[in-house]
Amino acid sequence: MTSEVDGDTTELSRPARRQAEIAAYVVKHGSVSANDLVEAFGVSVMTVHRDLDELERQGVVRKYRGGVSAQPTSVFESNVAYRLNTAHAEKAAIARHARAMIEPGMSVMLDDSTSALALIDLIEDITPLTVATNFLPAITRLSQLRDITLLALGGIYSATHDSFGGMPCAEAVEALHTDLLFCSVSAVSSTHAFHQEEEIVLVKRAMLRSARTKVLLVDHAKLQRTALHRLAPLTDFDVVIVDEKTPQDLIEPLRDHGATVEVAKL
Amino acid sequence: MTSEVDGDTTELSRPARRQAEIAAYVVKHGSVSANDLVEAFGVSVMTVHRDLDELERQGVVRKYRGGVSAQPTSVFESNVAYRLNTAHAEKAAIARHARAMIEPGMSVMLDDSTSALALIDLIEDITPLTVATNFLPAITRLSQLRDITLLALGGIYSATHDSFGGMPCAEAVEALHTDLLFCSVSAVSSTHAFHQEEEIVLVKRAMLRSARTKVLLVDHAKLQRTALHRLAPLTDFDVVIVDEKTPQDLIEPLRDHGATVEVAKL
DNA sequence: ATAACATAACACCAGAAGGCGATAAGAACG
DNA sequence: CGTTCTTATCGCCTTCTGGTGTTATGTTAT
């Protein structure tokens, strides 16, 4: 009743899920009062405020006296899509498929996507290995691993994505050239990859220029949608990995337009 | 009985302290067996191994079958000095003094030092503020703060310092110019600041070039020691902040050589 | 001035994680 | 081939922290 956003919302702490639901609620209603949310979600007013503070920190809503209002949908979309990360099993399958492409001694670049995060859990034992990323959760995890050379891509921190971006980041990327790039996007048409936010596009484009082999990770939810900014034609990627649940009739068009599509088995 | 390293070792989790003590023990004896450590520290062999693994990850010791040996003292020194971070009160005082130099709207650079970390807890309410740092714990904390623009300085991760360095980092620093720099070093003579490791020196030098006002944070333990690499003359810093416990006769020589020294009150 | 709202400060609880050792399985050395 | 050292796995216990509500204090609007 409270949420328009569906999917497998397990793997998410209770408050995190509630926050995502609140975000959806706020976006749907445009602007609501704290008390409305108290009723809608059955928690105390204090908790509502705490949730709203967090959402505001992430740039999803704006608080003012008496309530909150939604920020531009682009922000909401990419944030909530990220938070209420669905399709865990599919992501894992894609990650496993991607992992097979990595060999000891390589250098790998990862972008700020949950798909990339799934990959990290699988590469511990590929050694030696150099990993470059601008994604803070990824950096944190990689810093614990003994045998991996971590190259953090710095830049301006974005609370919405929990990653670093902007010009400083693009420059850091440009100073590198890795063997592999694994990246994801918010939408994929039959010909192009898309993303909501311009600043992110900037960094991803730089990444595409800085890698020898480029791999796009796409779970089926991304397909046949578009988003504001066109990132690159799919033919720019050496491989596009989709999960097994992707309908065959969505895969064909990609191939027809010249993309190399591989299907990750569960 | 086990430790040659003294000081206020509170504020440190039990295993972390033991690990630091083990590190000291290993360095003192050059090389020891796991069983020696079991006896010396009264913990199980399993625990000893776990500690040694962690120390090896940090680059402090080298494991081989039958025991461990110490790494070059330079690594040990800067690592353990960092881990068994003493003089908490003094650091806080220095941080408070430093904080007074920051004004809303400024951009501040912090290096990878515990002194810098202490400062972070105090700047939450200076807003707006931009903070650039290559220190992972600092990055993690700052990423939580709503009103602070965080500029992460990427680079090659060093487990020993828990920070980013190398050429990529130096380049990232060079692309910036901040109003303020707060940094610390491992040793201070009456004329110069010193540091053990060359790669670190590289980054700190870059930082010195990239800030308008440079501030050196020095707790009294650092004074009248030297270390391998000369970082810069003290006159390169606009201000040197020392704590109140610094003996007067150590402060005088600094001033005699032209440094501007300020004493932080507890 | 007073009502409505927001924040701060406490305290509580539960669940997670950390930390440790015992045992057992595995790997290197002689 | 056995001995010694190392690692993996499990289970226990403790500690910590995340998440919450309640009450009290502050703040803003009307």
Side-chain angles (χ1 to χ4, degrees):
Chain A
M1 61 355 146
T2 53
S3 168
E4 295 304 301
V5 187
D6 54 27
D8 171 21
T9 53
T10 40
E11 306 266 346
L12 208 52
S13 72
R14 204 153 82 83
R17 178 164 60 257
R18 186 185 53 240
Q19 281 162 24
E21 286 170 0
I22 287 180
Y25 187 99
V26 171
V27 168
K28 189 184 171 195
H29 292 72
S31 110
V32 292
S33 78
N35 280 334
D36 293 347
L37 294 168
V38 168
E39 284 189 29
F41 290 88
V43 292
S44 78
V45 63
M46 196 61 240
T47 298
V48 166
H49 277 291
R50 278 190 275 243
D51 285 347
L52 293 178
D53 285 345
E54 175 57 22
L55 289 171
E56 185 174 49
R57 194 188 71 84
Q58 294 171 16
V60 181
V61 303
R62 235 186 55 237
K63 283 185 79 170
Y64 52 84
R65 183 175 176 82
V68 291
S69 65
Q71 291 288 64
T73 44
S74 68
V75 178
F76 163 76
E77 276 205 10
S78 60
N79 178 277
V80 170
Y82 160 55
R83 301 292 161 190
L84 322 169
N85 162 32
T86 89
H88 209 70
E90 288 84 354
K91 293 241 168 78
I94 292 173
R96 251 176 287 126
H97 194 99
R99 195 222 111 110
M101 303 181 65
I102 308 174
E103 278 166 37
M106 279 188 167
S107 54
V108 179
M109 183 141 44
L110 302 178
D111 75 345
D112 56 340
S113 64
T114 48
S115 306
L117 217 47
L119 187 52
I120 289 179
D121 295 331
L122 305 174
I123 58 174
E124 245 186 282
D125 46 354
I126 306 178
T127 162
L129 188 68
T130 300
V131 181
T133 181
N134 66 330
F135 193 28
L136 186 50
I139 290 171
T140 305
R141 289 202 203 177
L142 289 167
S143 71
Q144 321 268 37
L145 303 181
R146 189 173 7 346
D147 297 317
I148 287 190
T149 303
L150 166 59
L151 219 156
L153 302 166
I156 300 160
Y157 177 73
S158 152
T160 315
H161 303 91
D162 213 358
S163 68
F164 306 105
M167 227 187 53
C169 184
E171 278 180 21
V173 170
E174 262 149 25
L176 299 178
H177 193 84
T178 60
D179 297 315
L180 275 167
L181 164 67
F182 293 104
C183 85
S184 186
V185 291
S186 51
V188 175
S189 77
S190 61
T191 56
H192 283 80
F194 292 82
H195 213 284
Q196 275 303 336
E197 285 153 279
E198 199 180 342
E199 355 138 7
I200 301 282
V201 170
L202 212 90
V203 173
K204 297 214 194 240
R205 285 239 180 90
M207 286 181 168
L208 279 169
R209 271 180 264 120
S210 291
R212 204 187 66 223
T213 304
K214 298 136 205 137
V215 182
L216 182 63
L217 310 177
V218 183
D219 62 278
H220 63 279
K222 307 284 177 61
L223 275 163
Q224 230 176 19
R225 294 166 42 187
T226 63
L228 189 56
H229 299 282
R230 206 166 63 182
L231 174 66
L234 294 182
T235 49
D236 277 15
F237 294 91
D238 297 275
V239 185
V240 176
I241 305 181
V242 300
D243 64 76
E244 224 177 21
K245 287 203 180 156
T246 313
Q248 194 61 33
D249 59 334
L250 287 184
I251 298 180
E252 285 310 331
L254 307 185
R255 291 192 169 131
D256 291 347
H257 288 93
T260 305
V261 183
E262 294 183 5
V263 180
K265 279 158 288 191
L266 281 179
Chain B
M1 61 357 143
T2 53
S3 168
E4 294 304 303
V5 187
D6 54 27
D8 171 21
T9 53
T10 40
E11 306 265 346
L12 207 53
S13 73
R14 205 152 83 82
R17 176 162 63 257
R18 187 185 52 239
Q19 281 162 23
E21 287 170 0
I22 287 180
Y25 187 98
V26 171
V27 168
K28 190 183 171 197
H29 293 71
S31 109
V32 292
S33 78
N35 280 334
D36 292 348
L37 294 168
V38 168
E39 283 189 30
F41 290 89
V43 291
S44 79
V45 62
M46 196 61 240
T47 298
V48 166
H49 277 291
R50 276 190 276 245
D51 285 348
L52 293 177
D53 285 345
E54 175 58 21
L55 289 171
E56 184 174 48
R57 195 188 71 85
Q58 292 170 18
V60 181
V61 304
R62 235 186 56 236
K63 283 185 80 170
Y64 53 85
R65 182 175 178 81
V68 291
S69 66
Q71 290 288 64
T73 43
S74 68
V75 179
F76 163 76
E77 276 206 10
S78 59
N79 179 277
V80 172
Y82 159 54
R83 301 291 164 191
L84 335 160
N85 162 34
T86 90
H88 208 69
E90 287 83 354
K91 294 242 167 79
I94 292 172
R96 252 176 286 126
H97 193 98
R99 196 221 110 109
M101 303 181 64
I102 309 175
E103 278 165 36
M106 279 187 168
S107 53
V108 179
M109 184 141 45
L110 303 178
D111 74 345
D112 56 340
S113 65
T114 48
S115 305
L117 217 45
L119 187 52
I120 288 180
D121 295 332
L122 305 174
I123 59 173
E124 246 185 282
D125 46 353
I126 306 179
T127 162
L129 189 67
T130 300
V131 181
T133 181
N134 66 332
F135 193 28
L136 186 49
I139 289 171
T140 305
R141 288 202 204 176
L142 288 166
S143 72
Q144 322 270 37
L145 303 181
R146 187 164 24 335
D147 298 315
I148 288 189
T149 303
L150 166 59
L151 219 155
L153 302 166
I156 299 160
Y157 177 74
S158 152
T160 315
H161 303 92
D162 213 358
S163 68
F164 306 105
M167 226 189 52
C169 184
E171 279 180 20
V173 170
E174 263 150 24
L176 298 178
H177 194 83
T178 60
D179 297 315
L180 275 167
L181 164 68
F182 294 103
C183 85
S184 187
V185 292
S186 50
V188 175
S189 77
S190 61
T191 56
H192 284 80
F194 292 82
H195 213 283
Q196 276 302 336
E197 286 153 279
E198 200 181 342
E199 355 138 7
I200 301 282
V201 169
L202 211 90
V203 173
K204 297 212 196 241
R205 284 239 179 90
M207 286 181 167
L208 279 169
R209 271 180 262 120
S210 292
R212 204 187 66 224
T213 304
K214 300 137 202 130
V215 182
L216 183 63
L217 310 177
V218 183
D219 62 278
H220 63 278
K222 307 285 178 60
L223 274 163
Q224 228 174 19
R225 294 166 44 188
T226 64
L228 189 56
H229 299 282
R230 207 167 61 181
L231 174 66
L234 294 182
T235 49
D236 277 15
F237 294 91
D238 298 274
V239 184
V240 176
I241 305 181
V242 301
D243 64 76
E244 224 178 21
K245 288 203 179 153
T246 312
Q248 194 61 32
D249 59 335
L250 287 184
I251 298 180
E252 286 310 331
L254 307 185
R255 292 193 168 128
D256 291 346
H257 289 92
T260 306
V261 183
E262 295 184 6
V263 180
K265 280 156 289 190
L266 281 181

